[in-house]
Amino acid sequence: MSDKRSIGINRDKLIEETVDRMQVLTREQIQLMFFYKLKPQSAKRLCQHRCKLMVDREILKQGHLLKDEPYYYYTNGKKERKQVEHLIMTNWMFLWWKYKNPNAKIVHMEYERSDYQIVRPDLYVVFYDTNRKSYDSVFFEMDRTISNKFDKIKLYNQLYNMKYSESYRDWE
């Protein structure tokens, strides 16, 4: 097998695993993560081509929010989500955070973690900081509606204050 072919196969497998883990990714998000070393036009064209092939081979499924919008992708193992736009925006926040924290090696990612009694984060990430040589976690929240009472800061402060209670010993 040629070297270029094995690189492409490995990249496609990584794309599939990443889409599965992150549940829904847009073509732009996939392009940013896997084709960033190419010139922008080449990256866009190659990403479109690879995503189309993966859909044709039934590795990925695609959908779009609006007719003129680019596709988003999810894996065959997942059902299409109802809050796709919310999840896409949460993933944009995660990608921005990861870009700002290149030394963060992701240990655990969990969407809609529900075992906290006070608040349910949109995304919970545990990471290892290779510079500080320590583990840490970060919570992501995405709220686009004006009508929502955004009280998450208060709730996260309550959760933080519970850190030393019996329920949250696993934080240490």
Side-chain angles (χ1 to χ4, degrees):
M1 189 173 347
S2 73
D3 205 30
K4 284 185 178 182
R5 181 168 164 76
S6 64
I7 290 170
I9 290 170
N10 290 336
R11 183 196 51 229
D12 287 358
K13 188 68 178 160
L14 280 173
I15 290 171
E16 178 187 4
E17 290 170 0
T18 303
V19 171
D20 190 57
R21 183 175 19 157
M22 297 181 79
Q23 299 181 25
V24 173
L25 288 174
T26 65
R27 183 189 39 79
E28 291 86 357
Q29 291 168 333
I30 293 169
Q31 180 181 326
L32 180 68
M33 287 189 280
F34 295 98
F35 300 94
Y36 61 92
K37 292 182 179 179
L38 300 174
K39 292 178 183 174
Q41 276 305 95
S42 298
K44 180 179 180 180
R45 197 170 28 255
L46 185 57
C47 183
Q48 285 174 330
H49 177 70
R50 297 314 307 167
C51 287
K52 183 182 180 333
L53 284 177
M54 292 175 80
V55 168
D56 291 347
R57 292 179 181 151
E58 298 182 355
I59 296 168
L60 296 178
K61 290 185 179 183
Q62 68 184 11
H64 53 87
L65 297 169
L66 300 171
K67 188 176 182 178
D68 295 333
E69 291 278 319
Y71 288 111
Y72 61 83
Y73 300 90
Y74 56 102
T75 58
N76 285 329
K78 304 268 192 226
K79 290 185 178 179
E80 191 168 6
R81 293 182 51 103
K82 292 180 182 173
Q83 295 185 328
V84 171
E85 192 172 12
H86 182 264
L87 189 54
I88 289 169
M89 294 305 296
T90 302
N91 286 337
W92 274 122
M93 286 190 308
F94 170 75
L95 291 174
W96 174 84
W97 173 83
K98 183 64 178 113
Y99 174 76
K100 293 289 189 181
N101 297 280
N103 297 315
K105 302 296 178 200
I106 308 304
V107 176
H108 177 75
M109 281 178 74
E110 190 173 342
Y111 290 88
E112 302 288 335
R113 184 170 179 160
S114 59
D115 61 344
Y116 299 125
Q117 296 136 359
I118 296 173
V119 68
R120 187 181 73 207
D122 292 334
L123 177 60
Y124 170 69
V125 176
V126 177
F127 64 95
Y128 179 75
D129 189 318
T130 57
N131 280 348
R132 294 184 307 155
K133 308 237 183 297
S134 65
Y135 290 91
D136 209 345
S137 59
V138 63
F139 295 88
F140 293 88
E141 281 296 333
M142 180 63 195
D143 196 355
R144 301 179 315 105
T145 58
I146 296 170
S147 61
N148 241 2
K149 177 186 168 193
F150 190 78
D151 59 349
K152 299 284 179 114
I153 295 170
K154 181 177 87 173
L155 296 174
Y156 277 108
N157 281 327
Q158 288 176 0
L159 182 63
Y160 181 79
N161 288 333
M162 292 178 65
K163 180 179 177 180
Y164 297 104
S165 73
E166 279 304 308
S167 305
Y168 297 96
R169 289 277 182 216
D170 66 326
W171 282 29
E172 298 177 327

